[in-house]
Amino acid sequence: MKTLVLSAAHQQTAKIAAKIIKDGELVAIPTETVYGLGADGLNPEAVAKIFAAKGRPQDNPLILHVAAPADIEKFCHSIPASAYLLAEAFWPGPLTMVLPARDCVPKCTTAGLPTVAVRCPDNAVTREIIRLAGVPVAAPSANISGKPSTTTAQHVYDDHNGKIPLIVDGGPCQVGVESTIVDLTEERPRLLRPGGITPEQLLAVLGDLVVDKAVTAQIDKDAVVKAPGMKYKHYAPQAEVVIVAGSREKAAAYIHRHATAKDRVLCFEEELPLYADCNPLSYGREDCVETLSAGLFAALRKLDNPQIHKIYARCPEGGGVAYAVQNRLKKAAAFQIVDAEVEV
Ligand code: TXA
Ligand code: MG
């Protein structure tokens, strides 16, 4: 199959993409978080093509993307007031809500769960595609399962050239990490995945928030978890990733003691001079955490090379968007962290 790449700026793109989705085929769509691999979320055969293209485990449900916040009422029932408050505050935007699913949502989209994840993305062309298709678009991150997510059309092309009919190129994704996921189906709202909408922002609207254990710790692959996607090894390049915590100086000293010629250093732009002799790669500025979230997956993809033995990574501290960056890097590192303040 020939894979067409069309600019989101082109007038006909949304119409062409919507027709392909209506016809039950896949389209890679830009969003503010990462590129998604989209299909008609109400069509089981189309949804099956997403799982096949990604090599995604069948027990991992998909997010349904809607063109307008009010559309969730078509696909969800028993919607609590908190969902309307969150939609009002953060949609369109990088927030996904888990709500009770209506019967019209097929089992393959929800992986058999009684709930469905819904999101209204902050990308005008993608919302137009969804509106014109007239169906909600199921879309996981477009990466092949287990690989770092796709934040440019080129990343999608690298993973799916020849396998999907269309990639809509909307330029690099601004947020760069996948949406925040909050489960609203229990008594207390539960954060299943941190993202561009921060825990502090959620708390300000909800007044309460439980952080799921899958956010902060490695989950056994046989465990029963709220967000099935959280238990898989994720976002990881082929090399072993180790996070080196501690001050700039202590971390640099630790890395210089341990790194070999086959290793690479993933650091902040401010730290590049410290690693001039060990082939460093910066993923953004420590003093502007949004550049780190926007740059992380592109950097992990650059380092996804079988020649590289180990990656020593620096991770931002604190809350806000840094919390999401920490989560993705820790998952890439399988929660391997050394503290350069105490270890030599
Ligand atoms: O930013 C994003 O959310 C991107 C863009 C394309 O919108 N999509 C994305 O999808 O990250 P994906 O499939 O890579 O991640 C979806 C996560 C998975 O961890 C999945 O297990 C979880 O959402 N999920 C989906 N439906 C769920 C449900 N009903 N209950 C709990 N978790 C759910
Ligand atoms: Mg994903």
XYZ file of all heavy atoms in Angstrom, residues 54 56 140-141 143 149 178 193 234-235, ligand 2:
90
model
N -0.208 -1.697 14.872
C 0.673 -1.365 15.986
C 1.316 -2.585 16.632
O 2.286 -2.455 17.372
C -0.130 -0.637 17.092
C -0.288 0.842 16.896
C -1.025 1.445 18.073
C -0.299 1.329 19.406
N 0.541 2.460 19.784
N -0.447 -4.223 18.842
C -0.881 -3.859 20.199
C -1.597 -5.022 20.870
O -2.445 -5.670 20.246
C -1.830 -2.661 20.108
C -2.334 -2.083 21.434
C -3.240 -0.917 21.128
N -3.879 -0.300 22.273
C -3.460 0.813 22.853
N -2.356 1.391 22.450
N -4.148 1.349 23.846
N -4.978 5.226 19.304
C -3.855 5.146 20.236
C -2.723 6.004 19.681
O -2.797 6.473 18.530
C -3.470 3.664 20.179
C -3.815 3.262 18.778
C -4.995 4.111 18.358
N -1.667 6.217 20.469
C -0.467 6.853 19.925
C -0.027 6.006 18.730
O -0.152 4.782 18.749
C 0.617 6.913 20.989
O 0.822 5.648 21.582
N 2.773 5.131 17.388
C 3.977 4.294 17.410
C 3.658 2.805 17.368
O 2.606 2.370 17.834
C 4.758 4.573 18.698
C 3.883 4.381 19.925
O 3.022 5.201 20.194
N 4.059 3.278 20.620
N 6.553 7.138 21.615
C 5.425 7.698 20.868
C 5.899 8.598 19.729
O 7.042 9.031 19.684
C 4.516 8.488 21.810
O 3.888 7.617 22.704
N 1.638 11.989 25.924
C 0.233 11.658 25.754
C -0.618 12.322 26.832
O -0.119 12.706 27.890
C 0.016 10.143 25.792
C 0.862 9.354 24.831
C 2.211 8.987 25.423
O 2.654 9.663 26.374
O 2.823 8.037 24.922
N -2.804 8.323 34.274
C -1.591 8.664 33.516
C -1.411 10.178 33.565
O -2.336 10.903 33.209
C -1.745 8.194 32.057
C -0.531 8.498 31.179
C -0.656 7.895 29.785
N -1.600 8.621 28.948
C -1.912 8.279 27.694
N -1.368 7.200 27.152
N -2.776 8.990 27.011
N 7.241 0.566 28.071
C 6.758 1.614 27.183
C 7.852 2.563 26.810
O 8.802 2.741 27.548
C 5.742 2.453 27.958
C 4.360 2.273 27.472
N 3.456 1.529 28.151
C 3.722 2.742 26.370
C 2.299 1.565 27.504
N 2.441 2.289 26.422
N 7.668 3.259 25.739
C 8.436 4.467 25.452
C 9.926 4.183 25.376
O 10.741 5.077 25.472
C 8.211 5.535 26.547
C 6.784 5.676 26.989
C 6.393 5.416 28.289
C 5.810 6.063 26.070
C 5.072 5.550 28.688
C 4.491 6.196 26.461
C 4.128 5.936 27.769
O 2.826 6.068 28.158
Mg 0.635 4.702 23.463
